[in-house]
Amino acid sequence: MTSSNVIPHPENRWRHDPALPLLAIDEPPPYSVINPDGTSPYLLLCEHASNRIPKALGDLGLPETERRRHIAWDIGVNALSQHLSRMLDAPLFMTNYSRLVIDCNRPLGVPSAMPEISETTKIPGNIGLTEAEKAQRIDTLFTPYAEAVARRLDLLQQQGKRPIVVGIHSFTPVYFGKQRPWHAGILYGQATGFGQMLVRELQAESGLTIGDNEPYIIHRDEDYTVPVHADARGLPGALIEVRHDLIDTLSGVGEWGDRLTRCFKAALQEQG
């Protein structure tokens, strides 16, 4: 059989030679910065803003229906983060690629950083990655974003400022078949005062069920943003989680963007 007739093994369709660049010259950079000169003490981070997959990795073996689901990104947070950045005059750092390629809110080396399975969905393009393939994703997508955030925090602290780190996330209404009761939740680690302050502010809004370290908890082995960018620096930090069916429309983004803006501003006043 000649080489022209060789059918590639199906498992290779989503694999990429790490000796070649992961991103093509016409693809977006690993992250974007919105309102870089914003004057708010809040520094907004959005690690799951996009479901984009580098062209070199194809579709990771997933149909479009799966790539549009919550497993690939946090639905609604791209627009919500930009709304908050504008209303608060806060700098915003956003990733430009799917968390299925590499999750920028996970410590390196944990299985969920480049998941072979997400919830109950297998990710064929992530199964059996070589160390070189993993290293390329880290070097191309994770490290540039993490270091850009760290440089901004270094600069602010060198200027004598005390930034407040807030990650903007959304969660699925149903997880492993179980309905979740919360409209939103605040997740925090060492900054209990700041986290609980945000919980109180949101609970003061009528008709809402707000999670206090729900629907997840911050854990050093499974989280990066709060433990590294906030807790390790002694800075106030938290993640806001909004149920994604509440922010999957423009009107929902506007409603929750305005609500969170009120809460964040009130928290600033309480902190003095």
Side-chain angles (χ1 to χ4, degrees):
M1 182 181 291
T2 65
S3 59
S4 61
N5 293 324
V6 173
I7 300 174
H9 193 285
E11 290 183 0
N12 294 332
R13 287 180 295 165
W14 318 290
R15 303 302 283 272
H16 174 65
D17 182 354
L20 301 173
L22 180 60
L23 298 181
I25 195 169
D26 60 345
E27 290 186 284
Y31 67 93
S32 298
V33 184
I34 308 298
N35 192 16
D37 299 320
T39 59
S40 171
Y42 285 111
L43 180 66
L44 304 180
L45 307 182
C46 192
E47 310 93 334
H48 302 155
S50 176
N51 64 347
R52 181 183 288 108
I53 297 170
K55 289 185 287 188
L57 301 180
D59 55 16
L60 288 180
L62 296 170
E64 183 180 2
T65 52
E66 293 293 330
R67 301 195 308 273
R68 293 178 65 86
R69 284 183 56 221
H70 194 82
I71 62 170
W73 59 337
D74 278 6
I75 295 168
V77 296
N78 190 310
L80 179 63
S81 297
Q82 294 192 60
H83 184 108
L84 288 168
S85 173
R86 184 174 64 254
M87 297 299 290
L88 294 168
D89 190 28
L92 165 63
F93 286 68
M94 309 172 70
T95 61
N96 286 331
Y97 291 88
S98 173
R99 64 179 171 194
L100 293 179
V101 180
I102 189 164
D103 193 326
C104 288
N105 188 36
R106 296 289 181 271
L108 297 177
V110 301
S112 56
M114 294 174 238
E116 294 188 357
I117 186 168
S118 182
E119 196 171 346
T120 59
T121 301
K122 290 183 178 180
I123 317 301
N126 285 353
I127 295 174
L129 293 176
T130 66
E131 291 305 310
E133 288 173 309
K134 293 177 183 178
Q136 184 180 50
R137 295 190 190 188
I138 293 168
D139 293 343
T140 304
L141 301 176
F142 182 96
T143 300
Y145 176 75
E147 290 187 347
V149 174
R151 285 194 303 271
R152 176 57 62 95
L153 289 168
D154 287 343
L155 177 63
L156 293 170
Q157 290 187 284
Q158 288 164 9
Q159 294 172 343
K161 298 176 181 177
R162 193 165 186 257
I164 303 170
V165 179
V166 176
I168 311 298
H169 291 249
S170 69
F171 64 94
T172 179
V174 178
Y175 189 58
F176 282 103
K178 185 176 180 180
Q179 191 79 31
R180 288 160 150 176
W182 309 282
H183 296 91
I186 300 294
L187 317 183
Y188 52 90
Q190 294 178 15
T192 55
F194 174 66
Q196 290 171 1
M197 188 186 309
L198 289 179
V199 172
R200 289 196 302 271
E201 292 296 337
L202 273 175
Q203 287 176 338
E205 300 271 325
S206 63
L208 297 180
T209 301
I210 303 300
D212 185 340
N213 270 329
E214 295 282 3
Y216 311 105
I217 61 170
I218 299 293
H219 195 289
R220 217 173 231 288
D221 294 338
E222 284 295 328
D223 292 272
Y224 190 90
T225 292
V226 168
V228 174
H229 292 313
D231 289 351
R233 293 173 177 264
L235 297 174
L239 300 187
I240 172 72
E241 291 270 1
V242 181
R243 208 175 71 207
H244 75 60
D245 60 322
L246 302 176
I247 53 171
D248 61 358
T249 63
L250 189 59
S251 60
V253 167
E255 178 184 345
W256 274 91
D258 291 347
R259 173 178 289 125
L260 291 171
T261 296
R262 291 194 299 271
C263 293
F264 287 141
K265 287 182 175 180
L268 275 184
Q269 292 178 345
E270 283 192 50
Q271 286 196 314

